[in-house]
Amino acid sequence: MRSNYPRGSEWRKWDLHVHAPGSKLSNGYGTTSDVLDKFCDVINASDVNVIGITDYFSVDAYFEFVDKFYAKYPDSDKVFFPNVELRLNESVNQQQEEVNLHIILPSDITKLKALDLLSKLGTELTDGEERKKFCSELDPDDYKSATVTRDSLKTAIRNTFGEKAFRQDKLLIITAANNDGIRPPAGKNRKLNISDQIDKLSDAYFGGSQNIDYFLDPDRLEDDNQKTINKPVFSGSDAHSFDDLSNWLGKSFSSSSANKEITWVKSNPTFEGLQQTLIEPKERVKIQDVKPDQKEQYKYISSVKFVGAKDFPDEILFNSNLTSIIGSRSSGKSALLAYIAHTIDADDTISRQMDAQEERDINKIGPAAGKTWSSVSNIECKVDWAIGDSETGRLIYIPQNYLYSISKHPDEITQKIQPVLFTVHPNTSEQFERTKREVSSANTVIRESTSQWFDHEQSIKDLKAQILNLGDKKSIEAAKVEYKNQIEELKKNLSLSQKDIEDYQAIVRQVTKLRARLAEIEVEKNNISPFYSDDNVPSIINIHPSVIFNPAIDKLPQPIYDQISQVIDLSSDKLREDIKAKILSYRNDLVIEEQGINKMIKVIGTQNRTLIDKQQKNAQLSKLVESHDRQLAILGEIENKEKLILQYQQKKKDLVQKITGSILERSQTHLNLSQAFSGIDQSKTEMDFGVEIGLDPRNVEDLSESFNRKINSPYLNESLVNLKKIRSEAENFLNYMLNSQKLRINQSPKQVAIAALCTTEDIRFNATLEGDKIGGFSVSSMTPGKQALFALTLILDESDDAWPLLIDQPEDDLDSRSIYDYIVPYLMERKKERQIIMVSHNANLVIGADSEEIIVANRHGGDRKNRSGKTFDYFSGAIEDSKEKIEATYVLDSCGIREHAIDVLDGGKEAFEKRKNKYKI
């Protein structure tokens, strides 16, 4: 057995309310001989994947249509459900219109079984002998007035499918919400009581986006002591003619007489998939114009291919949301995850796998136990992103035991606080850099140049990482084109003219460019701020120009030395005044430019207020325009960053020359950052961050402790730092510190290099989670499990960029409370914005987080054979894929995804029962 939908649950357009030619009432298609052929053609050409073929009290039109359609289009992947539209004998609206109710039957129901149900469903109409007619007995003139009762419907279902049958497994009841539906006028208590009873009978509703919140509210019943369950709302076209189909099928349409919306359903296009909407109505059904959960296509994995591999199948497909990989021990789950991570970023994968090891032996690092990366170098793994020509990408990989391992090394967690802190509180990054600049300005040229040398190197790395993080140029260009196409398509349905859109785009680009310059001005103002004592009344401070002579002049005879010193003093005074004037002038120019830009932005907003207001009312188009312009901005940003890298490389060369010429001059300073952190608003974050600053009074022995003295170094002499050698070859020392020098844990090459050339203080960050602190100078108060949760929180918050997250068995490192309270909600929310591929044995994670795709892994063996004969094989599909277990030659063919999950997952059966009970009243 192989699933027809290996990627699992995906967003597709559904329309469960379409009348076919021959509809018992309001047949607007005509009666020509070719009408059904034409209807089939229109349906086949539409982009709606699942359609409910509807008729009043009958399934005749459905079976006539599907026979014709599949004969004409045997390879079509469209799915059709019989939709029997009924009329209850009760009304709740002011027009006294009876409530319309729809029975949705499975697509594979036989005509005999469907007719059996209708032959047992009695109406309120009677024949000449006062006997109530059944639906199957209605005459053409009966359809306008026929009604059924709720009791007769329940009786017919029970008599057709049996007393013990679970009704939602046989059919679903969808009731109209508006007009001829169950929403009565306010204050009509009797009608409200009837509405409540019909609500309890119904599984879902036909309505619009305006009905969603109401039917997701479990407190919507009139009786405050009763609660019901969340129920999905579907928008159906209710098409009765070819004009209706042309205007409404799969489209958004609004006029004075009709309002139609697009329904998206995230599930398999099956009856079982439809059932999933009853379990997760908010997450599985969306009524909107644009496909939900859209991700930038170069940022999620479409498939993985293995070339020439005897162990793996040729291709494995992935869902863009949450994919869970399950299987028995050593079945290739973790190996698959590791291959994906290693293919995308080998260095990071090996580093994280090393961190997850107790002994941290690189010779034991590989995709699986007993396999090293060098031993499997013959296996070619290719990762295909959703845009096929994307050549690069990023991800976050959390291997098995990684969280547990690093939780045993709180100093490593401390190192991870800084990037997360800078992400959560961007201003702290600016303050930290500003602090370093102030230290440099108060220090000698050597300290400033050394710090800047490392800063520029880090900036180069950051820029390279940022360029890589921004994405592949070709992919971004493709995304830009795709957004433009979506804009063109969407604007057809909006009231904006082409000129309106072009004018608005021009305004957005103009304002964006101006705001970008404002951001640059702010950075420049920060860069010169150390030279001011007060921003309100600017006055220059901290300018101390100095002159360095080589050779030194302090050995000259005193008379000439005094004359030269006098010249230096006079020159220094003039130089200081000239510098002050230049800085004041430059700052004033920045202030004037900043004021001018702000005024220009305000003028643009005032002059174009009508167009801007009009544009903002079209929110979806605005979002697409914003996305299109963002791709343009990203392309420009990449080019700017590449230019910056070249500039930083040249600055590094200049700084080395300064360090070499200024090695005799030094001083020491310290700063206090505590005040900067005291003003941070941390009320909205999961953890609180802090900074600790301590002066290190150690001498050469203390400085030497920063080095790993067990490993030979050209700058260690008998385990002590060789300061003479360091000073005589500063450039070699800096490069060696950056790339080769082994340091003790928690030591930064930059800080150690500065400490070797001068004296400084350590700056350490800490974080507090649920009352427990980690980081800084003190010992962590967190338990190992709490530290693992904290580490995961840091990793997930480290970057806002929506690259895929690959996580291997997180339940091994976390307690059940963490899984319930943190991991499941995180997965449910974050999978909307980034792809998640997870290996797990825990049913609460796999089922509770509503995995869109489940991949069942199997290792070939005597009693667990794979169809391909390869060591590892994988069977994928959605939670709703179900097939009773049978005797099969190949184990993955023996049952459906649901049954495999029950067998493999810890607590699988209970998780599915709990899930199914969500929609039982």
Side-chain angles (χ1 to χ4, degrees):
M1 172 189 173
R2 281 293 185 262
S3 171
N4 293 325
Y5 311 101
R7 293 190 198 275
S9 300
E10 296 184 284
W11 289 108
R12 298 176 175 89
K13 286 185 180 180
W14 289 44
D15 188 334
L16 294 175
H17 193 181
V18 175
H19 287 266
S23 178
K24 303 300 184 185
L25 295 173
S26 302
N27 177 23
Y29 295 101
T31 57
T32 60
S33 60
D34 64 343
V35 67
L36 191 54
D37 267 317
K38 182 179 178 182
F39 182 76
C40 290
D41 294 340
V42 172
I43 294 298
N44 183 66
S46 77
D47 62 351
V48 181
N49 299 95
V50 181
I51 297 175
I53 302 298
T54 311
D55 202 356
Y56 299 93
F57 298 89
S58 173
V59 292
D60 294 341
Y62 169 80
F63 285 102
E64 184 179 2
F65 161 72
V66 293
D67 288 345
K68 185 75 171 181
F69 183 87
Y70 288 123
K72 192 170 186 179
Y73 299 105
D75 298 325
S76 174
D77 60 358
K78 293 187 184 295
V79 175
F80 307 101
F81 295 130
N83 178 350
V84 181
E85 185 166 355
L86 305 174
R87 193 179 301 110
L88 290 180
N89 66 330
E90 299 166 307
S91 66
V92 296
N93 63 15
Q94 289 177 323
Q95 290 75 31
Q96 298 299 308
E97 294 171 319
E98 293 89 351
V99 174
N100 280 5
L101 177 148
H102 300 252
I103 296 176
I104 307 297
L105 297 167
S107 58
D108 60 355
I109 192 170
T110 65
K111 185 174 183 179
L112 184 64
K113 194 67 174 178
L115 292 176
D116 184 33
L117 172 64
L118 295 178
S119 70
K120 294 175 180 175
L121 177 54
T123 72
E124 293 301 285
L125 289 180
T126 58
D127 57 18
E129 298 177 353
E130 295 301 316
R131 183 184 67 87
K132 290 185 178 181
K133 290 184 177 182
F134 293 97
C135 290
S136 58
E137 299 175 324
L138 295 176
D139 296 324
D141 294 335
D142 293 335
Y143 292 108
K144 290 183 179 180
S145 57
T147 62
V148 300
T149 66
R150 286 180 279 122
D151 287 340
S152 65
L153 177 58
K154 293 175 184 178
T155 300
I157 294 171
R158 186 167 58 250
N159 291 340
T160 303
F161 299 107
E163 291 280 351
K164 295 184 178 181
F166 181 51
R167 197 263 295 162
Q168 282 95 339
D169 285 342
K170 303 301 179 182
L171 59 84
L172 298 183
I173 297 174
I174 303 182
T175 302
N178 306 308
N179 300 325
D180 48 4
I182 70 163
R183 296 294 300 275
K188 302 292 185 180
N189 291 335
R190 185 181 64 83
K191 301 296 187 180
L192 283 168
N193 285 327
I194 295 174
S195 293
D196 284 355
Q197 296 308 311
I198 298 174
D199 192 315
K200 294 177 182 180
L201 175 67
S202 305
D203 299 304
Y205 294 91
F206 280 128
S209 54
Q210 74 277 8
N211 302 120
I212 293 175
D213 290 342
Y214 177 80
F215 287 109
L216 288 179
D217 182 4
D219 296 318
R220 63 181 178 270
L221 298 183
E222 180 190 8
D223 187 347
D224 293 337
N225 296 321
Q226 293 189 49
K227 288 184 179 293
T228 184
I229 61 174
N230 305 338
K231 294 181 180 180
V233 175
F234 300 93
S235 179
S237 65
D238 195 14
H240 283 75
S241 68
F242 288 115
D243 284 344
D244 291 348
L245 293 176
S246 177
N247 291 325
W248 302 341
L249 184 61
K251 300 176 183 178
S252 178
F253 180 89
S254 181
S255 70
S256 58
S257 59
N259 183 45
K260 306 296 180 181
E261 297 176 286
I262 300 171
T263 297
W264 299 88
V265 175
K266 184 177 64 176
S267 74
N268 282 351
T270 63
F271 189 76
E272 290 77 10
L274 179 58
Q275 286 178 302
Q276 299 307 305
T277 66
L278 310 187
I279 301 172
E280 299 287 350
K282 184 178 180 181
E283 304 299 331
R284 292 275 188 156
V285 183
K286 301 291 183 183
I287 298 178
Q288 59 188 60
D289 287 350
V290 180
K291 185 177 182 179
D293 297 351
Q294 287 198 76
K295 301 174 177 66
E296 292 173 323
Q297 290 183 304
Y298 56 90
K299 285 187 177 180
Y300 66 88
I301 298 167
S302 174
S303 67
V304 170
K305 297 176 181 176
F306 290 93
V307 180
K310 296 180 180 179
D311 289 338
F312 294 92
D314 296 337
E315 185 177 36
I316 302 165
L317 306 179
F318 293 94
N319 193 284
S320 63
N321 283 12
L322 172 60
T323 296
S324 293
I325 307 173
I326 67 174
S328 57
R329 184 179 178 84
S330 301
S331 57
K333 308 181 301 300
S334 298
L336 176 57
L337 213 64
Y339 269 109
I340 298 172
H342 189 266
T343 300
I344 294 175
D345 192 337
D347 292 341
D348 181 71
T349 300
I350 292 172
S351 174
R352 289 181 182 268
Q353 288 183 325
M354 284 277 288
D355 289 341
Q357 273 194 354
E358 284 287 342
E359 59 273 23
R360 303 196 176 193
D361 184 355
I362 195 170
N363 295 318
K364 295 182 179 180
I365 296 299
K371 299 281 187 180
T372 64
W373 288 115
S374 59
S375 70
V376 297
S377 59
N378 61 306
I379 297 178
E380 181 183 351
C381 175
K382 184 178 184 298
V383 174
D384 286 337
W385 299 86
I387 287 185
D389 58 353
S390 184
E391 297 176 354
T392 60
R394 298 285 302 277
L395 54 73
I396 299 174
Y397 174 50
I398 303 178
Q400 190 175 357
N401 299 323
Y402 179 75
L403 298 177
Y404 173 75
S405 179
I406 64 174
S407 73
K408 297 175 66 176
H409 302 277
D411 47 356
E412 295 185 12
I413 299 180
T414 303
Q415 293 177 8
K416 296 182 182 298
I417 293 176
Q418 180 173 316
V420 178
L421 169 63
F422 292 167
T423 299
V424 177
H425 302 292
N427 291 337
T428 61
S429 175
E430 298 173 8
Q431 180 63 38
F432 183 58
E433 293 300 323
R434 178 178 177 178
T435 298
K436 291 190 295 184
R437 292 193 297 269
E438 291 175 350
V439 169
S440 298
S441 65
N443 231 334
T444 61
V445 173
I446 182 172
R447 177 169 181 80
E448 177 182 301
S449 300
T450 303
S451 178
Q452 289 182 3
W453 192 94
F454 275 93
D455 288 347
H456 293 338
E457 175 62 27
Q458 184 60 48
S459 295
I460 291 172
K461 291 181 179 179
D462 290 343
L463 286 167
K464 290 179 179 179
Q466 290 167 17
I467 291 173
L468 183 61
N469 223 18
L470 288 171
D472 181 77
K473 279 186 176 180
K474 292 189 296 184
S475 301
I476 297 171
E477 184 66 31
K480 181 192 74 175
V481 173
E482 176 62 22
Y483 281 126
K484 183 172 182 179
N485 291 337
Q486 290 189 43
I487 290 171
E488 293 299 321
E489 179 63 24
L490 189 56
K491 75 180 184 181
K492 296 176 183 178
N493 297 324
L494 300 176
S495 61
L496 291 175
S497 68
Q498 177 63 32
K499 185 176 185 306
D500 287 339
I501 294 173
E502 292 174 353
D503 290 346
Y504 180 73
Q505 289 176 324
I507 292 169
V508 170
R509 284 190 286 271
Q510 183 180 7
V511 173
T512 299
K513 186 175 180 180
L514 291 172
R515 294 193 186 282
R517 177 54 188 155
L518 286 177
E520 293 174 356
I521 290 173
E522 186 64 26
V523 172
E524 293 181 30
K525 287 169 65 178
N526 286 337
N527 287 341
I528 64 175
S529 62
F531 296 90
Y532 286 89
S533 61
D534 190 337
D535 286 337
N536 295 322
V537 184
S539 60
I540 301 296
I541 61 171
N542 291 337
I543 296 180
H544 303 291
S546 61
V547 179
I548 298 174
F549 289 87
N550 190 10
I553 65 172
D554 57 346
K555 300 298 183 182
L556 290 173
Q558 191 64 39
I560 187 65
Y561 179 86
D562 292 338
Q563 294 177 35
I564 293 173
S565 297
Q566 189 174 21
V567 171
I568 292 173
D569 291 338
L570 292 174
S571 300
S572 296
D573 290 339
K574 185 176 186 310
L575 178 62
R576 185 162 42 248
E577 293 305 315
D578 289 344
I579 292 173
K580 286 182 179 180
K582 293 290 184 182
I583 294 175
L584 280 171
S585 176
Y586 188 78
R587 182 186 183 280
N588 289 338
D589 289 344
L590 288 177
V591 171
I592 293 170
E593 184 181 3
E594 182 181 46
Q595 292 171 346
I597 291 174
N598 282 322
K599 183 176 180 180
M600 190 178 301
I601 291 174
K602 186 175 181 180
V603 169
I604 291 171
T606 302
Q607 293 177 345
N608 298 278
R609 175 53 52 197
T610 300
L611 177 59
I612 291 171
D613 290 343
K614 183 178 181 181
Q615 183 70 27
Q616 288 176 345
K617 290 178 181 178
N618 295 273
Q620 295 179 12
L621 181 58
S622 299
K623 185 175 181 181
L624 290 173
V625 170
E626 179 183 348
S627 298
H628 174 269
D629 288 343
R630 183 170 66 249
Q631 308 310 308
L632 289 174
I634 291 174
L635 290 172
E637 190 175 357
I638 290 175
E639 294 176 1
N640 290 337
K641 292 182 187 302
E642 290 172 342
K643 293 178 183 177
L644 284 174
I645 289 175
L646 295 177
Q647 295 174 9
Y648 279 122
Q649 289 172 339
Q650 182 58 47
K651 288 181 180 180
K652 280 183 60 184
K653 294 180 181 179
D654 297 338
L655 287 169
V656 168
Q657 294 180 357
K658 288 185 179 181
I659 294 170
T660 302
S662 306
I663 198 71
L664 297 177
E665 188 173 340
R666 62 187 71 250
S667 66
Q668 64 180 23
T669 61
H670 70 274
L671 295 172
N672 191 334
L673 292 179
S674 300
Q675 188 174 5
F677 275 76
S678 63
I680 297 175
D681 180 10
Q682 307 197 70
S683 61
K684 298 180 180 179
T685 57
E686 295 179 76
M687 63 185 77
D688 293 337
F689 294 96
V691 62
E692 299 177 20
I693 299 174
L695 183 64
D696 188 350
R698 296 179 299 175
N699 53 21
V700 173
E701 171 64 24
D702 297 324
L703 179 61
S704 302
E705 284 290 334
S706 300
F707 293 74
N708 187 336
R709 295 189 282 186
K710 295 181 180 179
I711 299 177
N712 291 333
S713 167
Y715 300 103
L716 287 176
N717 185 9
E718 295 181 352
S719 297
L720 293 177
V721 172
N722 188 338
L723 291 176
K724 183 178 180 180
K725 186 174 179 65
I726 289 173
R727 293 166 183 167
S728 65
E729 50 184 69
E731 183 174 13
N732 291 340
F733 170 68
L734 291 173
N735 283 313
Y736 196 85
M737 289 294 296
L738 181 66
N739 300 312
S740 303
Q741 179 63 56
K742 303 299 181 183
L743 303 176
R744 292 171 63 88
I745 294 175
N746 206 30
Q747 295 297 324
S748 160
K750 174 182 175 180
Q751 295 299 334
V752 173
I754 292 175
L757 294 170
C758 59
T759 301
T760 190
E761 294 165 324
D762 286 341
I763 301 173
R764 300 183 184 180
F765 299 106
N766 62 51
T768 302
L769 180 65
E770 296 180 353
D772 289 317
K773 190 177 79 169
I774 194 168
F777 292 93
S778 58
V779 177
S780 172
S781 62
M782 295 182 180
T783 64
K786 185 74 168 289
Q787 288 180 182
L789 175 59
F790 175 78
L792 179 60
T793 305
L794 286 179
I795 293 168
L796 298 180
D797 290 343
E798 189 169 345
S799 173
D800 288 333
D801 293 305
W803 293 105
L805 167 66
L806 276 61
I807 184 167
D808 193 350
Q809 295 183 206
E811 66 268 22
D812 291 352
D813 301 327
L814 302 165
D815 54 44
S816 59
R817 177 175 175 267
S818 299
I819 291 173
Y820 278 111
D821 294 348
Y822 183 79
I823 303 302
V824 169
Y826 168 81
L827 294 174
M828 292 286 287
E829 191 61 32
R830 292 295 179 89
K831 69 181 181 178
K832 299 174 185 176
E833 61 193 37
R834 75 164 74 215
Q835 182 182 43
I836 301 174
I837 304 176
M838 174 180 66
V839 171
S840 180
H841 292 289
N842 188 293
N844 290 319
L845 282 175
V846 177
I847 309 304
D850 196 23
S851 299
E852 278 75 9
E853 178 187 6
I854 295 178
I855 298 178
V856 184
N858 182 65
R859 186 186 186 96
H860 186 72
D863 60 343
R864 299 187 64 83
K865 293 182 179 180
N866 286 331
R867 179 181 292 275
S868 62
K870 295 191 175 185
T871 305
F872 302 116
D873 198 10
Y874 304 89
F875 167 39
S876 63
I879 286 176
E880 54 263 34
D881 286 342
S882 179
K883 178 185 176 183
E884 292 185 6
K885 185 173 290 189
I886 60 172
E887 290 293 332
T889 304
Y890 308 109
V891 65
L892 292 179
D893 294 347
S894 63
C895 58
I897 290 292
R898 183 179 302 179
E899 289 70 29
H900 279 297
I902 290 173
D903 284 347
V904 170
L905 295 175
D906 297 332
K909 184 176 181 180
E910 292 79 6
F912 273 107
E913 285 297 324
K914 182 179 180 180
R915 180 180 177 80
K916 190 171 184 178
N917 286 337
K918 277 189 176 183
Y919 62 84
K920 285 184 179 179
I921 300 177

